[in-house]
Amino acid sequence: MTASDPSLVRPAPERILLIRPSALGDVARTVPMIVSLRKAFPRARIDWLVQEGFEAVIASHPDLDEAIGFPRKALGRSLRKGSIGQLTRWTRMLRERRYDVVIDAQGLFRSAWIAWTTGAKIRVGHAEARECAGIFYSRRIHARSTHTVDRMLDLLCAVGVDPVRDMRLYVGDGVSVDAPDGSIVLAPTSRWAAKRWPADRFGALTRRLLARTPHTVSVVGGPDERDQCEEVLAIARSNPRVVDLVGKTDVAGLARAIAGSRLVIANDSAAAHIAVGFDRPLVALYGPTNTACVGPYRRESDVLQRLRPEDNFAHKDPKNVEAMRRIDVEDVWRACVQRLGTANPSAPVEPRRVEPVG
């Protein structure tokens, strides 16, 4: 099957499962899939298999019936001990849901195998899926698009669905975070060194934001990433206008902080894609990454990137840190001024009074 030869589903499916467990940023930008499916099949039950811990970023979406946690770590521990009982029970739970259609938007052996274990007759995935995943699909689609969001939406032609490019995310009622609405959210971390803007420049930018804007600054990151944020956290220890959220929020709290922000300044990370989902002003700092494929969707003008012809896109290679170092503080500050609408970016302003948090 090719993308130019879509197959309709008749009768209309009653139960649909979308598989996209990770990573968090990829989960955030997969939401057009469920919007498209809901528009085409308004009466169907639509579930989403997502990595445990990531459910909150999609669970409140009005087009989704249930976010099913994928207990990857627990299953892995069980299998390493030589026990298959937990895996058997978990796959039985999926099979008992009797899905008519399963769409694997992850495209790896594990996700494709899960699609097969559901027993669904229609199992859709990319013909180019890695790790020989295609052997588990009943309908294989050749991707015709470049960006990962559009490539995922290409899969929908297998079930006769037109894509709806609605990236909106929703935050659940009652989710709170220790940061005031209107904060500037800094996301200075990344798993890969080549994706990190230098920490001292985040510190310099923070000092300028404090001196020249009235906004508080909230810094976010995981519990094991505090060392990457130390330049900003050092400022937070002496200035109550900098709110330390590093390791202090779950995914729901991160989403809430971004949803209420005035501006998001982020490395190539989940925070940038969540900002797109909440339609927040964004300055996205990118190094050796092909943004045409995986940049903030339809927000190309929000990307700061300084590539040279000799650069490659091997972001996992720590030798490629130079691309991020070419972005200087003045570059980012000008982008912030443009998005904040600061009338006189060189003049200090009277800050808003903020009580210390915690």
Side-chain angles (χ1 to χ4, degrees):
M1 182 183 301
T2 66
S4 60
D5 180 27
S7 297
L8 298 177
V9 179
R10 293 293 182 268
E14 297 180 2
R15 292 169 292 275
I16 301 171
L17 177 66
L18 174 65
I19 299 177
R20 182 77 205 209
S22 61
L24 181 57
D26 292 316
V27 171
R29 60 187 174 190
T30 303
V31 293
M33 296 285 285
I34 57 171
V35 177
S36 304
L37 289 165
R38 177 61 67 199
K39 183 177 180 181
F41 306 116
R43 295 181 176 84
R45 178 181 180 88
I46 302 176
D47 297 338
W48 186 332
L49 184 69
V50 65
Q51 183 171 307
E52 278 189 347
F54 292 170
E55 297 97 331
V57 80
I58 57 170
S60 297
H61 200 290
D63 290 332
L64 182 66
D65 286 296
E66 184 180 355
I68 302 172
F70 172 44
R72 175 182 175 182
K73 292 182 179 179
L75 292 176
R77 287 193 298 267
S78 177
L79 290 172
R80 284 192 294 273
K81 293 177 181 178
S83 172
I84 64 170
Q86 186 174 358
L87 177 62
T88 300
R89 289 189 295 273
W90 186 77
T91 55
R92 183 187 304 124
M93 176 274 295
L94 287 181
R95 181 177 285 270
E96 288 174 351
R97 289 171 177 253
R98 300 177 61 191
Y99 291 110
D100 304 303
V101 173
V102 177
I103 301 176
D104 177 19
Q106 189 87 10
L108 297 176
F109 183 92
R110 178 176 55 241
S111 57
W113 179 82
I114 292 171
W116 176 73
T117 64
T118 66
K121 291 184 178 180
I122 299 176
R123 303 179 303 280
V124 180
H126 282 120
E128 305 87 357
R130 291 175 289 168
E131 303 174 353
C132 299
I135 63 174
F136 295 111
Y137 304 141
S138 63
R139 300 185 181 182
R140 289 173 284 275
I141 297 300
H142 291 278
R144 55 191 174 185
S145 302
T146 299
H147 197 282
T148 187
V149 173
D150 294 317
R151 289 173 64 86
M152 288 188 290
L153 290 172
D154 286 346
L155 293 171
L156 297 176
C157 73
V159 288
V161 171
D162 292 327
V164 180
R165 291 173 172 82
D166 185 342
M167 300 290 291
R168 281 179 292 180
L169 294 172
Y170 299 81
V171 65
D173 294 336
V175 177
S176 61
V177 66
D178 288 333
D181 281 349
S183 288
I184 296 172
V185 171
L186 296 187
T189 68
S190 175
R191 176 182 178 184
W192 308 107
K195 287 188 173 187
R196 298 176 202 150
W197 196 44
D200 62 323
R201 298 185 194 179
F202 269 109
L205 177 67
T206 299
R207 287 187 286 271
R208 192 176 298 195
L209 289 167
L210 294 172
R212 301 186 186 179
T213 82
H215 303 286
T216 58
V217 174
S218 300
V219 56
V220 299
D224 57 346
E225 296 177 323
R226 292 189 65 84
D227 59 328
Q228 297 181 38
C229 308
E230 182 52 37
E231 292 282 341
V232 180
L233 296 183
I235 301 171
R237 287 191 282 271
S238 61
N239 192 324
R241 289 178 59 209
V242 181
V243 181
D244 175 8
L245 297 178
V246 181
K248 300 177 182 180
T249 66
D250 55 13
V251 168
L254 174 64
R256 179 64 185 85
I258 291 174
S261 67
R262 177 64 182 82
L263 171 67
V264 176
I265 306 166
N267 287 334
D268 176 3
S269 63
H273 303 295
I274 293 172
V276 172
F278 287 114
D279 195 25
R280 305 318 302 145
L282 172 66
V283 179
L285 309 177
Y286 273 71
T289 297
N290 187 347
T291 56
C293 294
V294 293
Y297 187 60
R298 295 190 167 183
R299 298 280 292 268
E300 295 86 354
S301 62
D302 290 330
V303 172
L304 282 182
Q305 189 177 42
R306 300 287 184 264
L307 294 182
R308 293 176 179 171
E310 65 270 20
D311 289 335
N312 60 58
F313 294 133
H315 66 266
K316 297 180 182 180
D317 187 345
K319 297 177 182 178
N320 285 335
V321 297
E322 182 59 32
M324 284 295 253
R325 291 174 179 170
R326 295 183 198 129
I327 304 172
D328 60 33
V329 175
E330 196 62 35
D331 291 330
V332 182
W333 172 244
R334 284 195 297 267
C336 292
V337 168
Q338 183 181 40
R339 287 152 181 79
L340 292 170
T342 305
N344 185 358
S346 63
V349 298
E350 185 67 25
R352 296 171 179 163
R353 285 177 164 253
V354 179
E355 295 299 322
V357 175

